[in-house]
Amino acid sequence: MLGRGVCEAMIELFKGVFEQKGKLLTKNLVPGKKAYGEDTYKIDGAEYRSWNPYRSKLGAAIRNGLKTMPIKPGSKVLYLGAATGTTTSHISDIVGERGEVYAVEISAHSMKSLIQLCEVRQNVIPILADAGRPRDYEEIGDVDIIFEDVAHPEQAEMMNRNARFLQKGGYGMIAIKSQSIDVTKNPKEIYARVEKELEGTFEIIERVDLEPYEMDHLFLLLRKK
Ligand SMILES: C[S@@+](CC[C@H](N)C(=O)[O-])C[C@H]1O[C@@H](n2cnc3c(N)ncnc32)[C@H](O)[C@@H]1O
């Protein structure tokens, strides 16, 4: 509800990520504009957008206790599997005017909505491409963080290929959907396999289970070796 006042003290969980009255919030980079029908709140003269952890795996990971948040004001982020831009919009709020979000999406249908989001949010650059073919968008240059949320059987391989955009010590964030890799296997078996594939390129820093927001999803925070 635009303009609703909230009096309880606000906590900054990470730079640009807030909590008030049990709600996760980001400060709206474009006041007056919503991205996906989310509630907005006026707090101390600024507008904040509610971040729904049931619709965003990064929101769910923060809710479930992610300890390190590498995405900060000014960060340059490569986002793989942006869909219509729900999570991308919150990352856009966090990185702010000095940051950039390169949003890769393979579906032309989702891209239409993503382009509308980018028209409003100048720090999001849409890229219609296959995240498994990073050469197709290599002109983006180095980034600080790669965020991956693709429902695809080769999720680990995709992250490894895109690691070319990270310097040593750069961060990867990946939401692993076990059902997209193999529906017949126990999710734990799948996670172990994915971690093994990633360990050649990355050190695994944190593991966060996304239940109850998402079933059979594991979120990993990675650092490039
Ligand atoms: C679970 S949805 C992403 C939701 C989104 N990250 C969010 O939180 O708002 C997965 C997306 O990955 C996209 N995708 C699947 N394979 C892809 C590929 N090879 N390259 C780029 N995007 C891909 C799908 O089209 C879909 O939009």
Side-chain angles (χ1 to χ4, degrees):
M1 280 153 283
L2 186 63
R4 191 165 82 179
V6 186
C7 306
E8 209 168 282
M10 187 161 60
I11 303 162
E12 190 166 21
L13 299 174
F14 300 109
K15 286 267 175 223
V17 181
F18 305 88
E19 188 185 58
Q20 191 179 51
K21 285 192 168 175
K23 283 192 189 304
L24 203 57
L25 305 166
T26 55
K27 190 172 174 184
N28 198 352
L29 184 66
V30 278
K33 301 277 184 194
K34 297 186 184 197
Y36 58 102
E38 68 280 16
D39 285 340
T40 56
Y41 302 92
K42 273 268 158 58
I43 305 170
D44 293 336
E47 188 177 296
Y48 291 80
R49 302 166 53 232
S50 180
W51 190 352
N52 185 344
Y54 287 95
R55 294 189 58 183
S56 166
K57 283 143 213 157
L58 180 54
I62 293 171
R63 268 274 165 260
N64 280 1
L66 183 74
K67 293 188 197 73
T68 310
M69 174 58 163
I71 303 173
K72 319 179 155 61
S75 295
K76 183 172 170 184
V77 180
L78 171 60
Y79 193 118
L80 308 175
T84 55
T86 302
T87 302
T88 304
S89 71
H90 289 288
I91 293 179
S92 156
D93 282 348
I94 297 166
V95 303
E97 283 167 5
R98 289 183 298 112
E100 287 171 318
V101 187
Y102 290 90
V104 177
E105 174 52 53
I106 201 166
S107 154
H109 182 72
S110 297
M111 185 49 72
K112 282 187 195 159
S113 306
L114 189 63
I115 287 171
Q116 285 172 3
L117 183 90
C118 298
E119 280 165 0
V120 173
R121 295 178 168 269
Q122 307 279 306
N123 63 0
V124 184
I125 300 99
I127 302 174
L128 179 64
D130 178 351
R133 297 170 51 114
R135 278 206 187 147
D136 293 349
Y137 46 91
E138 66 186 358
E139 60 276 19
I140 68 169
D142 283 357
V143 300
D144 303 309
I145 300 113
I146 299 175
F147 184 96
E148 183 184 304
D149 178 19
V150 291
H152 192 283
E154 287 165 19
Q155 291 163 46
E157 175 57 21
M158 234 177 239
M159 180 57 100
N160 285 337
R161 279 192 212 154
N162 281 272
R164 59 192 281 157
F165 298 111
L166 290 174
Q167 299 277 345
K168 182 169 183 274
Y171 286 96
M173 302 178 101
I174 182 169
I176 304 161
K177 182 177 180 182
S178 70
Q179 299 265 311
S180 292
I181 296 173
D182 191 338
V183 278
T184 66
K185 294 254 159 52
N186 180 319
K188 287 204 172 97
E189 257 180 73
I190 306 270
Y191 301 149
R193 200 169 85 197
V194 169
E195 288 193 20
K196 203 153 186 264
E197 276 183 66
L198 290 167
E199 272 166 356
T201 312
F202 294 96
E203 186 189 344
I204 296 167
I205 308 292
E206 281 187 53
R207 294 174 180 83
V208 183
D209 194 302
L210 298 187
E211 282 188 32
Y213 305 108
E214 294 280 355
M215 304 308 278
D216 297 333
H217 275 75
L218 180 69
F219 190 92
L220 297 179
L221 175 68
L222 313 165
R223 193 156 50 206
K224 191 175 174 194
K225 288 181 178 168

